[in-house]
Amino acid sequence: MSIYPKRQPDINSVAGDKNGRGIHYKWIALSNTTIAIFMAAVNGSILLISLPAIFNGISINPLTSFQYLLWVLMGYGIVTATLLLSFGRLSDMYGRVRLYNLGFAIFTAGSVLLFLTPDTGDAGAIEIIVFRLVQAVGSAFIFSNSAAILTDAFPPDERGKALGLNQVAAISGQFVGLIIGGLLAVFNWRYVFLISVPFGIFGTVWAYLKLKEPSYRKKNTQKVDIWGNLLFICGLTVFLIGITYGLVPYGDSPMGWEDPFVITALIAGLLMLLAFPVVETRVKDPMFRVDLFKIRNFAFGNAAGFLSALARGGVMIILIILLQGVWLPLHGYSFESTPFWAGVYMLPLTIGFVLMGPVSGILSDRYGARWLSTGGMLLVGISFLVLAALPYDFDYLLFAAALLIMGLGNGMFASPNSAAIMNSVPAGDRGVSSGMMSTLMNSGFVLSMGMFFTIVVVELTKTFPSVLSSALTAVNASVLIPEMSAIPATGALFAAFLGYNPVQMILSGISPDLVAGISSATIATLTGVNWFPETLAVAFMPSLDLSFYIGAALSFIAALLCSMRGNKYIEEIDGTGYRTGSKNISNSDIK
């Protein structure tokens, strides 16, 4: 017996509707959006693991190209974050399925362009960044509409399950991408981008043939919010570009926060973002529905989602740096093999999410998201504290247990939170709601990377030179202190992230006479798998611990917000006074 009160039949509970959507349509929608999410997830992680091969293939020096690493990692997120909201609003006006299909095609075109990257050196790096931005445009269309398409296709008592399965595909794709990237990069770095093309072509054709617009889509009588789009896109883009260049060295400073361009970008972007909600309350057809935040589940769910993304976005990359730059070399792995094995040793995080994601989705369909999401973020906070307590040469079982707890916690949080947000809004506003939810999460990830990279680089800049000098003196190589001190903190991080041993690269670039004066035993020590990881660890661990404590604090705040979200609320069933496009919200919406 259903726990829901009697209601009108859902479009998926009957044999079909006037758009030709039969009883199996919901599974078509789930499988197609799952392919899209899986493809995007594979594409994200496959790049992380393949960057050494890619940069080597286009002849880029890892010690002097930190800006390219930042743009490859963060440019995709910047474009996606800035476009999600606009695309979500446009999809409510012109059709979610139509724009979702367009996104699939654009993403596939971007993958083909990346495979065909013609140049090497700086030109090749810039081309890869630009083609990644093309992918990001397609990804923004996909992510701004996939949750709305699933919410349209599934009845309220199955949405948590559907979103949970969708998100399991995303986290599984991240692990599969690490494995495939490690394998394909051995043969040719271009294959890394080619792998997305068959998925993209199949998904694009299938989406165009099978996905249908919902029957209750609004007629296109609304106007595009030009001022809102300009303020938001320009403001967020300029602000995130400021953060990105704030991480790049400026003059004699290891970071760019004193760069006038960075200061101007941050101030200008912030001013535009502050003006944005003011404008949105005064235009007739706003792209950002401020009135939706009067819905309690929507407001608290999105706030918790943003803090969750802020807590874990940058920390995940820092964990990979810890494994690749410190722990794996200390345990006998060559620098070249560490990107692949870092993905393997991060597997407990994936297992936890895969195990808990569908279960939490099903449970939230029955009992609501409040306590599941609260418990999930508490587990994530606890896992951060466990990680902060570990030394750099940790027992892997303890590390794996912390990752498993983190995966279980994120699995408990993600699908119930998404389902609660999407259930709380009217059907006609699901596109913009999905876009707002995705925008906040993607912005949180990009801001998180900027925040935690800054913490790490600032700490390394203070401590790395003195630690490096002491370590060189200890192995009778003090003659190398001037040359080795030239390693910037960002270069050391870049090398660790890409699986390079920077000592070997520096020794090959200095005077042979100077190297000849150092004993062969000392050279072997310096270029071995232990010396640089141990030296980096001494300077790296204080900032890593601080990052974990910040992640824990943000997670606990997110848990508090989850507990304040109120009881289970489904707009189709519980809503009685909401009017689409109105600022009138009934008491039942905010209970």
Side-chain angles (χ1 to χ4, degrees), residues 118-139:
D119 292 312
T120 58
D122 291 345
I126 292 171
E127 287 166 358
I128 286 176
I129 291 168
V130 171
F131 297 154
R132 280 279 288 171
L133 301 186
V134 173
Q135 277 191 324
V137 174
S139 180

Side-chain angles (χ1 to χ4, degrees), residues 37-51:
I37 296 297
F38 182 81
M39 178 182 71
V42 167
N43 183 76
S45 61
I46 204 172
L47 198 66
L48 290 178
I49 213 71
S50 308
L51 276 174

